[in-house]
Amino acid sequence: MTARFCRSVALIAAVWVLTSVYATAQPRVEPARVLFAPQPAYPPQAWSARVEGDVRFRAMLRADGMVESVEILAVPETNLGFEEAVRTAVAGWQFQPATLNGVATGSEYTGSLRFELRLPGEAIFAAPSRRTWDAALAMVRELGLRVQRADPQHQILIASGKYEPKKLLSAAELKLPANSIDGLIFLHVMVARDLEPARVAVGAVFDILSAKGRQLRMIRRYGNDDIVSLLLSRLAARLRVKMEPLSANAEQRAQQAVALMPQGLADPCSAVPARLLTADEMKEATRKPELVSSVRATYPSDRREVQREGTVFFAAELTEHGTVVNPQNTIHADDSGQFVLASQMAARLWRFRPAVKDGCPARMRININQRFVLPK
């Protein structure tokens, strides 16, 4: 065997060894994935100024998937409250942590939140409200859900059942935890009965059985834009009518009502912007607002574990069709913000029969409190 041949073999072997070592040394990285992302309330200053747009942020995540810190990168306009609203909301997000070679690790997550002047989970349909109510009830029954409450007087529908991806969306599309074993879905549907054409509000709640090692945990998730959008689209397809997301602006809602009013149907109240009643005008209202459906806020697990109790006070606008929008915390009861987020998510599912002034449903400001008390 020649010296040149030996040197060649040695060189090939060295290259093979180095290549093998380099290949096995390549880290296997899986990025963090969002599991629970409650949306921020619209900042009052931005709401009043009618400013909308995207807020970009960077979150530092711990190895357990919780948020350690939030940095704001860009806002539509400064000094309107976007920064604090996003920091507070994202601080309550939960992630499936990033992994490095299969081991959970801290990481960085960059994302954006869009603030739009529309009412989340609400839409207006070019159809009469009663026909829309009948179609919503039929749609929910076709999904195989058990109807817990079907109230034709207030046109409130609450249904529940086992979550079935084939009939709705996959667990990945719904951003449910990867270790989900089973789950229940609760739907809250209201078709406003005092205004034409139909205004529909849909909310979804998931109770998810999640496995972590040998432990099983029941986790509650409020709201999901994807499934709400899917259900509103299916309802429009069933009715074979046009549907639009409902504007957060009363003047624009009146314009939508006029544009989508079916032929032969009329409603003088919906054709003009609903009034926002003052405290004095509320005293003269011919009908006071009536709570017709409410949801109890879920006790945050981290607050329960440390035996923490509290009360959350917040103010919100009650629309002319009876939904609670933009709940804002007025007195901080818990520095973690978890009580506040749980209260806001639950309040968005509350439904009212609105106040009436001068013969038309009206808007008003309301104050709500939620108490979190541990069982004795």
Side-chain angles (χ1 to χ4, degrees):
M1 186 179 293
T2 67
R4 179 179 296 180
F5 178 77
C6 291
R7 284 196 301 271
S8 299
V9 171
L11 179 61
I12 292 170
V15 170
W16 182 84
V17 170
L18 287 173
T19 304
S20 299
V21 170
Y22 179 76
T24 57
Q26 288 296 300
R28 291 181 292 106
V29 178
E30 290 291 337
R33 186 166 67 89
V34 179
L35 298 178
F36 177 48
Q39 299 302 293
Y42 218 110
Q45 306 97 310
W47 182 278
S48 299
R50 299 299 171 193
V51 175
E52 58 183 2
D54 295 317
V55 176
R56 293 183 60 248
F57 65 89
R58 180 186 296 117
M60 303 306 295
L61 312 179
R62 304 196 311 242
D64 61 359
M66 304 303 287
V67 177
E68 185 171 296
S69 64
V70 181
E71 177 188 0
I72 303 301
L73 303 177
V75 294
E77 191 173 325
T78 59
N79 301 319
L80 290 180
F82 286 117
E83 298 89 342
E84 184 59 29
V86 170
R87 284 194 195 97
T88 300
V90 176
W93 286 18
Q94 295 174 15
F95 291 78
Q96 183 169 315
T99 59
L100 178 61
N101 296 327
V103 179
T105 184
S107 64
E108 179 182 294
Y109 177 88
T110 301
S112 66
L113 283 170
R114 181 159 186 77
F115 288 81
E116 294 181 300
L117 292 168
R118 62 181 180 86
L119 301 180
E122 301 188 34
I124 184 167
F125 291 72
S129 64
R130 189 64 190 191
R131 180 184 164 212
T132 305
W133 159 256
D134 292 338
L137 185 58
M139 179 185 70
V140 167
R141 285 175 171 157
E142 278 188 6
L143 290 172
L145 300 180
R146 182 172 63 88
V147 176
Q148 295 179 313
R149 178 184 175 188
D151 180 352
Q153 179 183 357
H154 298 104
Q155 297 187 163
I156 296 283
L157 173 61
I158 301 174
S160 65
K162 185 176 180 179
Y163 162 66
E164 296 186 45
K166 291 182 180 179
K167 293 184 178 180
L168 295 167
L169 294 172
S170 70
E173 289 172 309
L174 291 176
K175 301 179 180 65
L176 299 182
N179 54 355
S180 299
I181 296 175
D182 204 352
L184 295 175
I185 181 173
F186 297 83
L187 287 183
H188 296 252
V189 181
M190 183 188 75
V191 182
R193 55 160 289 182
D194 294 316
L195 290 168
E196 300 288 356
R199 302 183 185 195
V200 180
V202 177
V205 179
F206 288 93
D207 279 348
I208 307 154
L209 188 61
S210 177
K212 189 173 183 180
R214 296 184 178 181
Q215 294 184 335
L216 295 179
R217 290 182 61 195
M218 184 63 76
I219 305 171
R220 171 158 286 191
R221 295 284 187 262
Y222 288 103
N224 189 290
D225 290 342
D226 295 320
I227 197 168
V228 167
S229 297
L230 173 69
L231 292 172
L232 289 171
S233 297
R234 284 189 181 181
L235 183 56
R238 174 181 283 273
L239 290 165
R240 297 183 180 179
V241 299
K242 184 178 179 181
M243 175 268 291
E244 293 180 359
L246 201 52
S247 173
N249 182 279
E251 288 77 13
Q252 292 179 1
R253 290 199 293 272
Q255 294 172 10
Q256 288 180 302
V258 171
L260 295 178
M261 190 71 72
Q263 189 173 3
L265 192 64
D267 187 343
C269 290
S270 65
V272 295
R275 292 169 57 185
L276 180 60
L277 301 183
T278 65
D280 289 336
E281 288 175 323
M282 269 302 305
K283 297 175 184 177
E284 301 171 356
T286 54
R287 187 180 74 198
K288 307 298 182 186
E290 174 191 358
L291 179 64
V292 295
S293 180
S294 62
V295 175
R296 183 182 295 276
T298 299
Y299 217 112
S301 58
D302 64 335
R303 301 293 87 190
R304 187 187 296 276
E305 289 171 2
V306 297
Q307 299 289 294
R308 184 71 177 269
E309 297 183 340
T311 303
V312 178
F313 300 87
F314 56 89
E317 181 179 318
L318 180 61
T319 66
E320 68 274 18
H321 49 275
T323 58
V324 177
V325 298
N326 208 34
Q328 297 284 336
N329 181 220
T330 54
I331 301 175
H332 289 278
D334 176 32
D335 54 6
S336 76
Q338 295 302 307
F339 284 152
V340 174
L341 287 171
S343 298
Q344 288 174 328
M345 298 299 284
R348 289 193 177 107
L349 294 176
W350 288 25
R351 307 295 185 234
F352 287 78
R353 194 170 186 200
V356 171
K357 178 77 166 59
D358 298 331
C360 288
R363 300 149 53 215
M364 62 176 292
R365 299 291 295 173
I366 59 172
N367 295 301
I368 302 174
N369 67 75
Q370 294 257 9
R371 294 190 65 207
F372 294 84
V373 181
L374 293 165
K376 303 299 182 185

